Amino acid sequence: MPTNPSEYIWPGVIAAQAMYTAAKLRIPDLLASGPKTAVELASECGAHAPTLERLLRSLATLEMFAATPDGRFSNTPLTEALRADHPQSQRDFTMFLTAPFLWRPLGELYESVRTGEPAFERIFGERFFEYLASHAEDAALFNAVMTQGTQWSSQALPAAYDFSRFERLVDVGGGEGGLLRGILEATPRLHGVLFDLPSVVAGAASILKGEIAERCQIVGGDFFESVPEGADAYLMKGIIHDWPDDDAAKILRNARRAIRPGGTLLLCESTVDSSSYPAGLMELLMLVLGGRERSEAEFRALLAATGFSLTRVIPTEMHSLIECHPV
Ligand SMILES: C[S@@+](CC[C@H](N)C(=O)[O-])C[C@H]1O[C@@H](n2cnc3c(N)ncnc32)[C@H](O)[C@@H]1O
C-alpha cells in the first residue's frame, strides 16, 4: 500500500489515460513485428507523429514501451500484454475504466457524492444500460470485459457450490454465457437457460456451443418485465449491485414469480462487510453508474421484501454466493 496519498494519484491518473490512448491506437499490436519509429507507427495508426513520440517516451518511464538507442520503440512485457492477440490479453481491461463512458462519470464522483445522483445519467442523459443499448462499441467492450472477468468465476463457482442438485438453472443477466458454460461443463446433467437483453445474447452462440448447446437455451428479454419461468434454480451474478433498491426489488420479484416452489435463488455479489483493497473501490464505480454494493443485512432485507429468505452466504475468493429460497 502507498505511504503517501499522492502515490495513488500521480502517476495513476495520467498513466491511465496514456495507456488507454496507446491501446486504442493499437500501438502494442503494431509493435508485434518488432521496433518501429514514432513516424512509422503514426502513419500506421493515424496519429500525429511528434505527439505520439511524446506519449511513447512518457509511457517508457513506466516501462510501458522501451526506447531503443536508434530512436525506435519496442514492446515491453507490460505492453506485450496489451496486444489483442496475447493469450491473457489485458487490452479490454485497460480500455474499460479509462474509456470515456466510465472515465467521465468517475471524474464527477464529487458531484455524485454531493447530490446523491449517479454522475452517469447527468453526463449522458440516460441510464447506464440504456446508453449501452445505443452505443455498440462501448457495449462490445463492456460485454467482452464481463465475459473475460467471469472466466475465474466459471471455475470457482462450481468448485464452491454443488449445482448437480438442480435440474434447470437460469442465469439471469448472464451476459454472453461464459459463466453458464463453466457451470454446465462442470455439471453434466444440468440444463441451463441464458437470459439477458436480446442485443447481448446475440453474442452467446459462439460461447455456448458444442455439447453445451444441446443442454442450453438462449433467451433474450428484459428482466424488469419477466424472467424465464419454472426453473428450480436462478443465478444472478453482478446483477443486483447494478441497481438501486426499487429496481433491484423489481428484478427479484420477477424471479420470485418465476421460480418453482422449493427452488433456489443464488446471488453472486461482493458484500461490503468483506470488501478489501482494491475490490472495495467497486462501490464508487457503482455509485457513479447508478448501482450500489450492499451489506449482508441489506441483502437480507431486500430479499425479505421480495419474497425470499436468505439461507446462507458462501464466501468464494472473489465474491459471495448468497443462497436464498422463496417463502
Ligand atoms: C454487470 S453485468 C453482469 C454480467 C454477468 N452476469 C457477469 O457476471 O459477467 C450485468 C448484466 O445485466 C444485463 N442487463 C441489464 N439490464 C437488463 C435487462 N433489463 N434485462 C436483462 N438483462 C439486463 C446486462 O446486459 C449485463 O449482461
Side-chain angles (χ1 to χ4, degrees):
M1 297 282 269
T3 52
N4 178 322
S6 69
E7 288 175 52
Y8 281 117
I9 297 166
W10 183 275
V13 170
I14 301 173
Q17 279 308 309
M19 288 162 65
Y20 170 79
T21 303
K24 187 154 171 101
L25 291 170
R26 296 192 174 268
I27 305 297
D29 305 277
L30 297 176
L31 291 175
S33 54
K36 289 181 182 165
T37 63
V39 171
E40 288 166 335
L41 287 166
S43 80
E44 287 182 65
C45 70
H48 181 249
T51 310
L52 179 61
E53 177 138 21
R54 292 169 67 184
L55 174 76
L56 299 179
R57 287 209 175 280
S58 295
L59 278 167
T61 66
L62 307 176
E63 295 181 12
M64 314 250 339
F65 307 113
T68 61
D70 61 358
R72 293 183 296 164
F73 291 92
S74 61
N75 272 331
T76 64
L78 289 177
T79 58
E80 275 291 324
L82 296 185
R83 281 171 54 180
D85 63 354
H86 189 279
Q88 277 92 43
S89 179
Q90 297 288 306
R91 181 173 197 275
D92 291 338
F93 278 111
T94 298
M95 294 183 62
F96 186 56
L97 289 182
T98 52
F101 76 108
L102 296 176
W103 179 260
R104 286 182 59 197
L106 282 167
E108 301 213 7
L109 176 63
Y110 168 79
E111 273 307 305
S112 280
V113 172
R114 209 179 58 74
T115 61
E117 299 301 324
F120 190 93
E121 267 179 77
R122 214 166 50 78
I123 295 168
F124 294 105
E126 54 191 345
R127 300 178 89 186
F128 183 66
F129 288 103
E130 290 165 359
Y131 169 93
L132 287 188
S134 56
H135 291 80
E137 197 181 324
D138 291 338
L141 179 64
F142 180 82
N143 293 332
V145 168
M146 291 304 114
T147 298
Q148 289 167 25
T150 215
Q151 267 168 15
W152 181 87
S153 316
S154 65
Q155 300 190 347
L157 290 197
Y161 192 84
D162 177 16
F163 286 89
S164 70
R165 73 188 73 180
F166 304 128
E167 283 174 22
R168 191 161 168 258
L169 171 79
V170 183
D171 189 358
V172 178
E176 295 174 331
L179 175 59
L180 186 59
R181 181 185 63 194
I183 295 173
L184 292 177
E185 277 170 353
T187 321
R189 283 206 292 276
L190 182 66
H191 287 253
V193 180
L194 175 70
F195 180 72
D196 206 298
L197 294 166
S199 58
V200 178
V201 297
S206 61
I207 293 176
L208 294 166
K209 58 186 179 191
E211 181 273 330
I212 295 297
E214 290 163 27
R215 290 189 280 135
C216 189
Q217 209 186 337
I218 298 174
V219 180
D222 177 354
F223 53 41
F224 289 114
E225 286 177 9
S226 64
V227 302
E229 289 202 358
D232 54 344
Y234 288 78
L235 173 64
M236 297 183 192
K237 175 173 169 282
I239 301 302
I240 298 304
H241 83 157
D242 290 338
W243 304 98
D245 281 353
D246 52 349
D247 288 315
K250 283 183 202 152
I251 303 167
L252 290 169
R253 281 198 191 94
N254 283 340
R256 178 66 186 83
R257 265 190 285 279
I259 198 167
R260 212 186 274 178
T264 301
L265 168 70
L266 294 166
L267 307 183
C268 185
E269 296 276 354
S270 298
T271 59
V272 290
D273 324 73
S274 59
S275 61
S276 57
Y277 174 83
L281 295 175
M282 177 66 90
E283 167 73 313
L284 302 180
L285 177 60
M286 300 323 297
L287 190 159
V288 296
L289 298 186
R292 61 176 307 127
E293 301 292 349
R294 294 178 173 83
S295 66
E296 186 179 324
E298 287 168 331
F299 275 114
R300 200 176 282 280
L302 187 58
L303 287 157
T306 52
F308 288 101
S309 68
L310 189 161
T311 42
R312 53 182 177 139
V313 177
I314 303 152
T316 73
E317 212 176 299
M318 215 181 265
H319 305 284
S320 294
L321 253 189
I322 302 172
E323 187 189 58
C324 326
H325 292 104
V327 287

